[in-house]
Structures are given as C-alpha cells and as structure tokens.
Amino acid sequence: MMNQIRYTYKHEVPPTKVDLPCDKNAGHGDHWAILTDNIADDVPTWLQSMLETATIPSALTQSRPSDNKLLIANDTPCHINQILKLENGTPQAFINAFPAVDSPYGVECHIERVIRCDSTSDAILRLKTTDGAVIYAFDQLYAINRTEYKTPKTYYVNFSAWAYNIEPSDQNETILIEDPDAIRYHRAFNDIVSNNGGEVPDNIDEQILAWQPSDLADGEALAPVEINYGHSCIYLFGETFGQEDEAWCQGQVLGISHTKFFNKDITLFDVVILREPDAQPLVVRMAAPTTDKTAAIQTHDYIQANIWLQAAIYADNQKP
C-alpha cells in the first residue's frame, strides 16, 4: 500500500480543467479599453500591423503542423498575442487576440486548476507557489501550452499585468496594535530585520523568542504599535467565476521603465505585491498608458492598482 501511495503522489497528470461557458467569458473588450477609446478602428489596425513582425513565442512546445491553433506575437515588451485556426498547417481563420506584457519576474508554482474557454483559447490558471500562496492569472500561452501542463509538476511562471488604474496607496490607512504579545512580536521582528541589513534571518523565530527591548526601564510596558497599511504588500484575486484574473493589489515600486505599444507611450512598473517572511516575493511587471498620474509615481513609492494579471510559462525558464 505504501508503494502505491508513493507512486500516485509522484505521478504527473493533467491539472483539473473547469469549462468556462461562453456567456461567462468576459472577452477582451475591457482590456483593449485600457489602451484606446476607439477599439473598433485601432484594434484591427494593430492586428494587421503586427503580422509584419510576428513571431512564435518560445512556450513549452512549438506549434506543429498537426496542431489546430497557431499563436503568434511580437517581440516587444508590450505586444499583441493573436490566435489563428490552422488547417493542414496553414492559417485559415482568426480565433482571438489580446494585449500582453512581457515580464522578467516570476516564481515557481504548480498548476492546481485551469479555467478555460476552448472556443476562444482563453484560460485562467489557478497557481500555488512553493510557499503556499494562491494566484489566479490569465494564461498568455494557453493556445500552445494547453496539452503540456502536468500536476504536481513545478513550473517557473512569469507574471505581468495591464493596469486599469494605478495610484499612490492611501497613507492614512493605519491600525493600532495594543495586545502585549502582538506588540512584542512586531517590535522584535522589526529590530531583528533592521539589525540584519533588511534581511529576514533563517532563525527569525528563535531570535524573536530571545529578543529583549533595549530602550525600556525595568518593568516598563512596550508602547502600542501603529501599522501603516499604506506600506503593505497585498494581492486580492477576483471573486467572480471566470474573472479571477482581475485583481486588486498594493505594493512597492522597485523599478520604472518606459516603452511603446505601437504609437502609445507606456510606463512599466515593477511592483512587489506579496512579500512575507520566509517566502519568495512576488514581483509583477505592470504596464499602464503614460499619464501625468503615472509620471508622478517614483521608485520605492507604494501604489495600489486594479490589474489584469497575466502568466506565461516558457520552456527556457524551466528546470531540467
């Protein structure tokens, strides 16, 4: 019996698939609206223009003549992914298209579930990181990766997003901690991390147990601790079925760069939206049209944003 259990655990099988009915599939109208107020004219022009420089993404597998779908994209930070129907290896019809963002950032995850609409090749992945965090993200490469996924196999997943709105976080959101045990924990944790150059030591729990305040007289109580939630890293996935990839987040900007989407100026924000002790931080590259509001955001600022979270799983990033 033990041998059978061990084998079952190690055996890799396709992840659970949940069908997304057509009437529940929101489509990409709201995503195109991030980039233009004139979808009817601009999007067809962009789709035609991208064909001149289109490439096949380096997914887990390459499109083969036997496949019935072809995914093409542009080799730019912000681009379009276009899915075409194949017959005998030749493109015959348009299936779907959506704006995508490339990101160098990612974490290791396994795929728990695939929420899919096969008619449009749209899919949302329910991912669990090796640290136990649950993330929902739209799969940029589902059209060609769809037959390759296995579970409980671990993949390196790159995360990016389009931002509907991005702005400085609310610095007035605070909470006062008055419980003596909780006060001691927060004071100890902050002192230890500060004295360790900003890094969380491996034996943080042992150091917290041994910690003693250096600024108090004998018998003096620790003062309450005020925590500013405006300096927190928070990720909340969508609660509506089929729209779990529509997320709200708050985090710290680690870097800012600029690019173009066709003729539109785009600002790229590298934002850490999950940062917990003993866990790998989740950094997402977020793209937003450049405006006076985005220009005012600086590196190290804390922001909050409504985003369309995307995932990409490439062959080049995976461990042997």
Side-chain angles (χ1 to χ4, degrees):
M1 178 63 72
M2 290 300 293
N3 290 338
Q4 183 179 2
I5 293 173
R6 188 176 298 113
Y7 173 80
T8 302
Y9 175 79
K10 290 185 177 180
H11 185 54
E12 293 176 351
V13 298
T16 299
K17 297 179 178 65
V18 179
D19 287 323
L20 177 61
C22 291
D23 61 346
K24 297 292 185 181
N25 186 12
H28 296 294
D30 288 343
H31 305 143
W32 292 116
I34 296 172
L35 294 158
T36 177
D37 295 326
N38 188 12
I39 295 175
D41 292 333
D42 285 344
V43 174
T45 300
W46 293 339
L47 294 178
Q48 182 63 37
S49 176
M50 72 160 286
L51 295 177
E52 300 175 4
T53 57
T55 61
I56 298 176
S58 177
L60 294 177
T61 183
Q62 291 294 314
S63 292
R64 300 175 294 268
S66 59
D67 290 344
N68 59 7
K69 293 178 182 177
L70 172 69
L71 175 65
I72 56 177
N74 295 115
D75 189 19
T76 54
C78 296
H79 58 271
I80 293 173
N81 281 15
Q82 189 170 169
I83 305 168
L84 305 174
K85 181 180 179 181
L86 286 180
E87 289 185 8
N88 299 320
T90 303
Q92 295 294 323
F94 171 83
I95 296 177
N96 201 357
F98 51 87
V101 182
D102 278 346
S103 172
Y105 306 106
V107 295
E108 290 189 337
C109 305
H110 70 263
I111 303 170
E112 289 194 320
R113 188 183 309 159
V114 179
I115 304 170
R116 65 180 184 176
C117 180
D118 267 353
S119 64
T120 59
S121 284
D122 287 324
I124 299 169
L125 303 181
R126 176 185 165 98
L127 302 155
K128 180 171 283 189
T129 70
T130 54
D131 302 312
V134 174
I135 302 167
Y136 284 89
F138 179 84
D139 187 355
Q140 293 184 3
L141 305 179
Y142 179 71
I144 47 180
N145 275 347
R146 64 190 186 280
T147 61
E148 300 298 314
Y149 294 145
K150 298 291 184 290
T151 191
K153 183 175 181 178
T154 298
Y155 297 94
Y156 185 86
V157 184
N158 294 81
F159 288 100
S160 59
W162 285 103
Y164 296 97
N165 179 65
I166 186 168
E167 61 188 3
S169 61
D170 186 351
Q171 300 300 302
N172 295 320
E173 293 185 15
T174 60
I175 185 172
L176 189 67
I177 296 177
E178 299 181 283
D179 178 75
D181 291 337
I183 293 171
R184 187 182 187 284
Y185 179 89
H186 283 281
R187 281 284 306 272
F189 182 88
N190 290 336
D191 280 358
I192 293 165
V193 171
S194 177
N195 293 333
N196 197 47
E199 299 292 330
V200 179
D202 292 338
N203 64 338
I204 182 67
D205 292 333
E206 290 84 352
Q207 290 198 41
I208 288 175
L209 288 174
W211 177 84
Q212 294 296 328
S214 59
D215 56 348
L216 294 179
D218 290 342
E220 185 179 354
L222 291 170
V225 175
E226 185 177 78
I227 296 179
N228 188 330
Y229 271 104
H231 286 177
S232 300
C233 296
I234 306 169
Y235 158 70
L236 301 174
F237 52 76
E239 296 181 350
T240 302
F241 173 61
Q243 298 179 41
E244 292 92 341
D245 51 343
E246 306 288 349
W248 181 89
C249 66
Q250 180 174 281
Q252 187 175 26
V253 178
L254 304 181
I256 299 174
S257 55
H258 302 275
T259 188
K260 283 186 176 290
F261 180 89
F262 295 93
N263 63 337
K264 295 184 177 293
D265 292 323
I266 301 293
T267 302
L268 301 173
F269 298 94
D270 300 335
V271 184
V272 55
I273 63 173
L274 285 178
R275 184 166 53 191
E276 299 291 341
D278 301 323
Q280 187 174 357
L282 176 62
V283 180
V284 176
R285 173 159 286 179
M286 302 179 188
T290 301
T291 62
D292 290 342
K293 182 190 293 187
T294 61
I297 298 172
Q298 303 295 315
T299 302
H300 304 307
D301 285 353
Y302 279 82
I303 59 88
Q304 55 191 31
N306 296 98
I307 61 173
W308 178 38
L309 187 60
Q310 301 182 345
I313 302 177
Y314 301 102
D316 295 344
N317 290 342
Q318 310 310 313
K319 293 180 179 178

